[in-house]
Amino acid sequence: LMAAALAQAGDTSLRLWAHGELHGAYELAASLGYRKTRELWQMRRSLFAQLPHGSCPPGVTIRTFQVGLDEDALLAANAQAFAQHPEQGQLSTRDLELRMSEPWFDSQGLLLAVRDDRIVGFHWTKVHSGQTSDVGEIYVLGVVPDERGTGLGAYLAIRGLEHLRDRGLGTVMLYVDADNTAATRMYSSLGFMHWDTDVMFGR
């Protein structure tokens, strides 16, 4: 399968993901001349445990996303918040439209932080429907650079967790780059624990 994938990719750079720290994946990657280039942590916490209290930075208000009005402003805030991110930073109008057309999209679960009519942060929650129980997700949590260090990210996270808890969910998950120490530290302070690791390999 890998030989076929490499042949089809040709000169195009191919990235390989292993879902979990799998010994076999490391061996296969090494045999093809690939090495680990990225680790993505999955973190989880119970929503039955008490949520921390947060405070909103002065001058910021929180409201829900308004379909047909907030798309361009959300894309602008996302581009600033994730300028260095390999995937999220490239979010386009078409990408946003596709996500909003998904069955899981809920405008009430997309929280916006607004200062002077400008979106300065957002928390996009998601619900995964499972066979035994539904699991909530911090799908995207972003804060524009000039609002970092104000506590806005943690406050948005808490508000989103409250929303998921109010929907009757008992567990919430998220994905975060393992080397993003500021984010992993914040999520740990909110009660999240490392659950699993996905690994990306590249040449």
Side-chain angles (χ1 to χ4, degrees), residues 146-167:
D146 54 335
E147 292 285 343
R148 289 173 187 163
T150 64
L152 178 58
Y155 183 71
L156 274 169
I158 293 167
R159 290 291 302 271
L161 295 177
E162 290 172 345
H163 167 77
L164 293 170
R165 182 186 61 187
D166 291 344
R167 289 195 54 176

Side-chain angles (χ1 to χ4, degrees), residues 67-113:
V67 176
L69 295 176
D70 290 325
E71 286 84 349
D72 290 343
L74 176 62
L75 286 169
N78 180 85
Q80 293 180 57
F82 295 100
Q84 306 302 319
H85 195 278
E87 291 110 14
Q88 187 63 30
Q90 307 302 314
L91 189 73
S92 67
T93 300
R94 180 57 179 158
D95 295 329
L96 181 58
E97 290 172 347
L98 288 171
R99 284 160 176 75
M100 290 172 60
S101 69
E102 293 284 347
W104 53 262
F105 175 72
D106 174 16
S107 62
Q108 297 301 302
L110 177 45
L111 306 179
L112 307 179

Side-chain angles (χ1 to χ4, degrees), residues 27-191:
E27 286 192 334
L28 176 61
S31 73
L32 297 169
Y34 280 72
R35 62 179 180 83
K36 180 172 69 175
T37 57
R38 187 178 173 194
E39 284 188 11
L40 195 65
W41 277 12
Q42 183 185 148
M43 302 182 77
R44 292 194 177 202
R45 68 154 286 163
S46 169
L47 288 174
F48 295 115
Q50 183 176 355
L51 293 173
H53 297 288
S55 58
C56 189
V60 174
T61 57
I62 308 296
R63 64 173 176 82
T64 56
F65 180 82
Q66 299 180 57
V67 176
L69 295 176
D70 290 325
E71 286 84 349
D72 290 343
L74 176 62
L75 286 169
N78 180 85
Q80 293 180 57
F82 295 100
Q84 306 302 319
H85 195 278
E87 291 110 14
Q88 187 63 30
Q90 307 302 314
L91 189 73
S92 67
T93 300
R94 180 57 179 158
D95 295 329
L96 181 58
E97 290 172 347
L98 288 171
R99 284 160 176 75
M100 290 172 60
S101 69
E102 293 284 347
W104 53 262
F105 175 72
D106 174 16
S107 62
Q108 297 301 302
L110 177 45
L111 306 179
L112 307 179
V114 179
R115 182 191 294 279
D116 299 328
D117 295 325
R118 171 184 170 229
I119 296 175
V120 294
F122 58 96
H123 181 181
W124 196 344
T125 66
K126 183 177 181 179
V127 177
H128 298 267
S129 296
Q131 293 182 341
T132 56
S133 62
D134 294 345
V135 176
E137 179 182 352
I138 293 182
Y139 181 52
V140 188
L141 178 64
V143 175
V144 300
D146 54 335
E147 292 285 343
R148 289 173 187 163
T150 64
L152 178 58
Y155 183 71
L156 274 169
I158 293 167
R159 290 291 302 271
L161 295 177
E162 290 172 345
H163 167 77
L164 293 170
R165 182 186 61 187
D166 291 344
R167 289 195 54 176
L169 302 176
T171 303
V172 64
M173 58 172 284
L174 62 88
Y175 290 100
V176 61
D177 280 286
D179 61 0
N180 188 344
T181 54
T184 56
R185 187 182 302 115
M186 183 193 74
Y187 290 130
S188 295
S189 73
L190 296 177

